Every structure is written in structure tokens, then in C-alpha cells.
Amino acid sequence: MTRAATPAVPALPEAQVRAAMHAQQWELAIELLAEHDRVLRETLGSEKLSGLSAEPWRDLLAQQQALLADLVVMRDETAAILARMGRERRGALAYRSLAG
């Protein structure tokens, strides 16, 4: 009787996603994450996971959480920049209207 192969935990393309993010190639980052999600769902849906080691899956979750935390930081930094730009624009418009 042959034993089924242990399903491999799909590798998160973390380095490629981070490189795309830092290069502001958001479409590429989204495509990479969508493909990873597709492969992950396919793996989880097609394999019997009971009795397998949870450690590789916990490692993947930790990688995903770290990437998400960095995305949150980038989002917050972008929001702060946009808010500052809005304040500067309003200030310039107010100055212009006072100057005549």
C-alpha cells in the first residue's frame, strides 16, 4: 500500500511581492498574491490535512501576517501623505484667495 505524498505548503512569494510593492507595481503584487491564494485554496481543498504537521502552515501564516503588517504600515504612510497634501492645498487656496 502506497502512502499519499504529504501536500507541500504553497510558498508565499514574499520577496517578489515586497519588491513589487516597493517599486509601486501594485498590479504585479496583487497578481502574485492572487495566484498564491489560488494555489493555497486548491491545496487546502484537495488534500486531507488531518494528521499532518501544523508547523509549516503556522510558518506560512506568520509570513502572511508579517506581509500584511507591512501593507498596513504602507497604507497608513500613504494616508498621512495624502492628508498632508490636502492640508497644503487648502492652505495654498486660502492664501491665494486672500492675496486677491
Side-chain angles (χ1 to χ4, degrees), residues 27-83:
E27 293 82 14
L28 176 57
I30 290 167
E31 288 173 13
L32 289 165
L33 290 172
E35 177 61 15
H36 173 70
D37 181 66
R38 186 193 65 73
V39 171
L40 181 61
R41 289 174 186 270
E42 185 178 283
T43 300
L44 290 172
S46 66
E47 300 290 342
K48 183 173 172 81
L49 302 175
S50 61
L52 297 178
S53 172
E55 194 60 31
W57 297 98
R58 285 191 191 110
D59 291 343
L60 175 60
L61 181 59
Q63 288 176 326
Q64 290 172 332
Q65 289 172 333
L67 186 58
L68 180 58
D70 289 345
L71 282 168
V72 168
V73 168
M74 290 181 85
R75 179 205 62 196
D76 293 347
E77 289 172 352
T78 302
I81 290 168
L82 289 172

Side-chain angles (χ1 to χ4, degrees), residues 74-96:
M74 290 181 85
R75 179 205 62 196
D76 293 347
E77 289 172 352
T78 302
I81 290 168
L82 289 172
R84 187 185 77 236
M85 288 173 63
R87 288 190 303 274
E88 290 172 356
R89 181 177 183 275
R90 288 189 299 276
L93 290 174
Y95 178 79
R96 191 171 120 197

